[in-house]
Amino acid sequence: AQSVSQHNHHVILSEAASLELGCNYSYGGTVNLFWYVQYPGQHLQLLLKYFSGDPLVKGIKGFEAEFIKSKFSFNLRKPSVQWSDTAEYFCAVAYYSGGYQKVTFGTGTKLQVIP
Amino acid sequence: DVKVTQSSRYLVKRTGEKVFLECVQDMDHENMFWYRQDPGLGLRLIYFSYDVKMKEKGDIPEGYSVSREKKERFSLILESASTNQTSMYLCASRLPPGQGSNEQFFGPGTRLTVL
């Protein structure tokens, strides 16, 4: 199985601080990249995705992520976090293996935003 | 709106019991997935199904089996539950790669405790 690394397990920020969550993956071929978010007590939901084209993708709620192919990275950013961004964030990579497209998730980063 | 429902939010079973976790989606998605989510480990793929009657092992299939008799329903079976299967189980569905956004839609999860 391919691996997806999220460097920070738990991040604590004050409101209005900038956020960057790291994500690196190991697969050398073509990938689709995702960030999902899980707010407390809610379903996992898609934040943003990259398939092709502009490596800077914008998602919901002011989040963006940049795909850097040479670094196998897809870091998530937000210029100014809000208390409502408190959640767990998961990076995911879709790739083809054995004729099927598989998806591997990272271990998640818990973000706590302090008012 | 895509809806993925799971039969139970909370389940308590005893060691050795046979456990069925049911997942139903209402958007005619061909692909369905079962994950378990554990703190610090993220989401790990147990099994997936690309179509009716089709199943493939994910990264951690040991101790589990699945059934996909109808397109909308994907069941996870614990043949003989053990305490190390205590976890949150998430079901997801999506369109096949190339037919849509490739986004996975998740259910609310079933928190299973095995005593």
Side-chain angles (χ1 to χ4, degrees):
Chain A
Q2 302 300 319
S3 65
V4 178
S5 299
Q6 291 184 240
H7 317 298
N8 312 101
H9 298 295
H10 196 178
V11 173
I12 302 173
L13 294 173
S14 298
E15 272 193 323
S18 65
L19 170 72
E20 180 158 3
L21 301 182
C23 173
N24 286 88
Y25 61 93
S26 61
Y27 187 68
T30 301
V31 293
N32 298 153
L33 299 161
F34 306 83
W35 276 96
Y36 287 86
V37 61
Q38 189 172 34
Y39 297 103
Q42 294 189 26
H43 301 196
L44 265 162
Q45 57 186 281
L46 184 70
L47 202 53
L48 49 76
K49 60 181 185 279
Y50 171 80
F51 280 19
S52 63
D54 189 345
L56 185 63
V57 292
K58 296 193 185 296
I60 60 171
K61 303 187 180 186
F63 285 91
E64 64 179 32
E66 185 175 13
F67 170 50
I68 303 179
K69 191 174 180 179
S70 60
K71 294 185 178 180
F72 297 87
S73 71
F74 189 56
N75 292 354
L76 181 70
R77 300 195 291 247
K78 186 171 183 180
S80 176
V81 294
Q82 301 173 311
W83 177 77
S84 58
D85 293 325
T86 294
E88 191 161 15
Y89 294 81
F90 293 92
C91 180
V93 176
Y95 60 95
Y96 278 93
S97 173
Y100 299 107
Q101 192 191 64
K102 295 185 175 180
V103 181
T104 296
F105 282 78
T107 53
T109 297
K110 284 191 176 174
L111 171 65
Q112 185 179 355
V113 180
I114 302 168
Chain B
D1 259 4
V2 176
K3 205 164 202 177
V4 180
T5 56
Q6 295 183 228
S7 49
S8 307
R9 290 299 302 269
Y10 299 93
L11 208 53
V12 180
K13 294 291 180 181
R14 297 216 172 267
T15 301
E17 280 192 78
K18 190 167 185 174
V19 182
F20 293 86
L21 303 182
E22 305 285 343
C23 175
V24 177
Q25 49 93 6
D26 66 359
M27 280 300 292
D28 205 34
H29 285 172
E30 279 87 353
N31 301 170
M32 295 188 76
F33 305 81
W34 274 107
Y35 295 90
R36 62 178 283 176
Q37 182 181 8
D38 300 287
L41 298 177
L43 276 71
R44 293 180 291 165
L45 181 65
I46 304 171
Y47 267 94
F48 63 99
S49 169
Y50 264 44
D51 209 338
V52 177
K53 305 260 186 207
M54 175 272 175
K55 58 188 178 186
E56 282 291 325
K57 292 179 180 179
D59 299 320
I60 52 162
E62 296 78 20
Y64 304 95
S65 62
V66 290
S67 171
R68 182 114 183 255
E69 296 295 318
K70 292 186 177 181
K71 192 175 187 178
E72 67 270 19
R73 188 180 296 269
F74 190 35
S75 303
L76 180 70
I77 302 154
L78 287 66
E79 295 290 341
S80 177
S82 63
T83 54
N84 63 10
Q85 292 179 309
T86 292
S87 186
M88 171 71 87
Y89 290 88
L90 298 178
C91 176
S93 74
R94 71 167 188 201
L95 288 168
Q99 288 190 24
S101 75
N102 216 21
E103 170 189 355
Q104 288 181 299
F105 294 87
F106 285 86
T110 295
R111 186 166 293 283
L112 172 67
T113 302
V114 183
L115 302 175

